[in-house]
Amino acid sequence: MFSAKGRYALMVATAIAAIGCLFYKENQLAAFLGLMLLLLIWSHFKQSSVLLASKHFKNGDYQATEDALDEVPDPERLAKNRRGYYEFMRANIALHREEYEEAEYHFQLASRFPLGGKTDKVFVMIHLANLALRKKDKVRILAYLERAKEMVSTPRAKEIINRIEKEANSL
């Protein structure tokens, strides 16, 4: 759970240590440090700062969350389990800023990747239904609600789905 700067510093320190080991003819230790450097580089692209961002997101610090997400060099290279969270947090930040088009885009991407569990996926569908409700697009509202109903597991989610469905039927 490092920021990008922390990972870069760790990469430099590991590379220097590996070079030092080569200088002192500690080839096995240098090889081990080389592998550690490769692991750090791999984790930089596959894991990035998403875990750090989720920590800030859970604390409600949207600015720190966005700063951590901005450190991700290429979201498309993230591991599938990280990409879903990345898109989910981006969507919630956009929703918080009332940028509804961007929020819908990121929620749609988040719906395609695995999230923590069914509950998270249900709330992605609920958010998408809410955004479709803003546009008064009854077909999309009902489609999102159907998917949410298939996965619903909490009474709170059922209540929200029923409330959105009533509003959709009154359109």
Side-chain angles (χ1 to χ4, degrees):
M1 189 163 59
F2 292 108
S3 66
K5 288 180 183 177
R7 271 192 310 282
Y8 294 145
L10 195 55
M11 285 179 204
V12 168
T14 304
I16 290 170
I19 291 168
C21 287
L22 285 173
F23 180 75
Y24 288 108
K25 294 185 174 50
E26 293 291 336
N27 296 334
Q28 290 178 340
L29 187 55
F32 175 74
L33 289 170
L35 288 173
M36 292 302 294
L37 182 59
L38 289 175
L39 179 65
L40 285 169
I41 293 169
W42 173 84
S43 74
H44 177 65
F45 289 105
K46 289 296 189 180
Q47 308 294 323
S48 202
S49 300
V50 175
L51 191 60
L52 181 64
S54 71
K55 176 184 168 195
H56 294 302
F57 183 74
K58 286 179 184 176
N59 293 334
D61 188 354
Y62 292 113
Q63 186 58 49
T65 302
E66 186 172 22
D67 292 343
L69 292 176
D70 287 341
E71 291 180 354
V72 175
D74 185 8
E76 295 195 12
R77 287 188 179 174
L78 288 171
K80 285 184 180 181
N81 60 343
R82 295 288 188 231
R83 180 78 189 272
Y85 284 118
Y86 174 87
E87 297 298 344
F88 182 75
M89 288 184 283
R90 280 280 183 205
N92 278 296
I93 290 169
L95 202 59
H96 182 71
R97 290 184 175 159
E98 298 181 4
E99 297 169 353
Y100 301 116
E101 293 297 321
E102 185 179 345
E104 183 177 12
Y105 171 76
H106 287 291
F107 276 127
Q108 285 177 348
L109 284 175
S111 72
R112 296 180 187 139
F113 293 97
L115 290 170
K118 281 187 175 181
T119 305
D120 292 335
K121 204 70 137 177
V122 167
F123 280 103
V124 167
M125 291 299 131
I126 288 172
H127 280 299
L128 284 168
N130 251 335
L131 291 167
L133 185 62
R134 287 183 141 286
K135 293 179 177 180
K136 300 182 191 261
D137 187 349
K138 190 172 182 176
V139 174
R140 289 175 75 190
I141 296 169
L142 296 176
Y144 290 135
L145 290 179
E146 282 304 312
R147 283 196 59 200
K149 283 179 185 178
E150 293 170 3
M151 300 179 281
V152 73
S153 60
T154 64
R156 179 174 175 239
K158 288 178 186 176
E159 177 185 330
I160 294 169
I161 289 170
N162 290 335
R163 199 173 325 138
I164 294 171
E165 200 168 37
K166 285 178 187 174
E167 287 184 43
N169 289 330
S170 68
L171 289 179

